[in-house]
Amino acid sequence: QVQLVDSGGGLVQAGGSLRLSCEASVRTSRRYDMGWFRQAPGKEREFVASISVSGTLTQYAPSVKDRFTISRDGPKNTVYLQMDTLELADTAVYYCAAGGWGPNPSDYDYWGQGTQVTVSS
C-alpha cells in the first residue's frame, strides 16, 4: 500500500511562485512513476506533469510548460512541483499521484489528499 502526502499549497499573487511537495510512504523499495494533477471548482481533474522513476523523462500539460518544473528526490518516492509565473487560471486543488504515467488520471493507482493553490490578482 502506498500513501501519498502532498503539501506546499497556499495563497500567492499572480506572477509569484510556489513549490509543492509529495512524499510517498511505501512498504517496499519499489519506486513509482509519479505525477501532479489539479482540479478547479466545477471542472474535471486535469493533468499537470509527470516524471519517470529515473527522473530523466518528464511530461507537461501545454498550459504549464515553461512555467512549472517537476522533479524528484532520486532514491525516494518524493516528487516536487516548482510553479513559477503563476496565473489566476492555476487556482485549483493540486493532487500528487503515483503508479501511472501521462495525462489520464485513471492510469494512476495512488493519490494524495490534495493541496489548495490560490492565485490572486
Side-chain angles (χ1 to χ4, degrees):
Q1 186 67 23
V2 176
Q3 292 183 325
L4 303 178
V5 179
D6 35 34
S7 62
L11 175 64
V12 63
Q13 286 190 324
S17 299
L18 279 175
R19 187 189 194 214
L20 306 183
S21 300
C22 174
E23 185 172 353
S25 61
V26 294
R27 293 182 178 271
T28 71
S29 60
R30 179 180 174 182
R31 298 178 69 236
Y32 294 84
D33 293 330
M34 300 183 75
W36 287 97
F37 287 76
R38 67 186 182 185
Q39 189 166 17
K43 295 187 177 181
E44 294 185 353
R45 192 165 297 190
E46 67 171 354
F47 172 74
V48 175
S50 60
I51 188 166
S52 63
V53 167
S54 66
T56 58
L57 297 177
T58 57
Q59 285 187 341
Y60 293 92
S63 60
V64 306
K65 188 174 174 59
D66 298 328
R67 298 189 298 121
F68 291 8
T69 304
I70 190 170
S71 61
R72 67 185 301 157
D73 187 335
K76 301 179 181 180
N77 285 307
T78 301
V79 66
Y80 306 98
L81 185 69
Q82 177 66 41
M83 305 185 296
D84 297 318
T85 319
L86 282 161
E87 303 171 353
L88 297 178
D90 296 319
T91 295
V93 177
Y94 284 69
Y95 296 90
C96 173
W101 177 255
N104 191 344
S106 64
D107 290 340
Y108 291 76
D109 298 318
Y110 307 103
W111 292 87
Q113 81 283 2
T115 184
Q116 176 71 46
V117 172
T118 303
V119 183
S120 65
S121 59

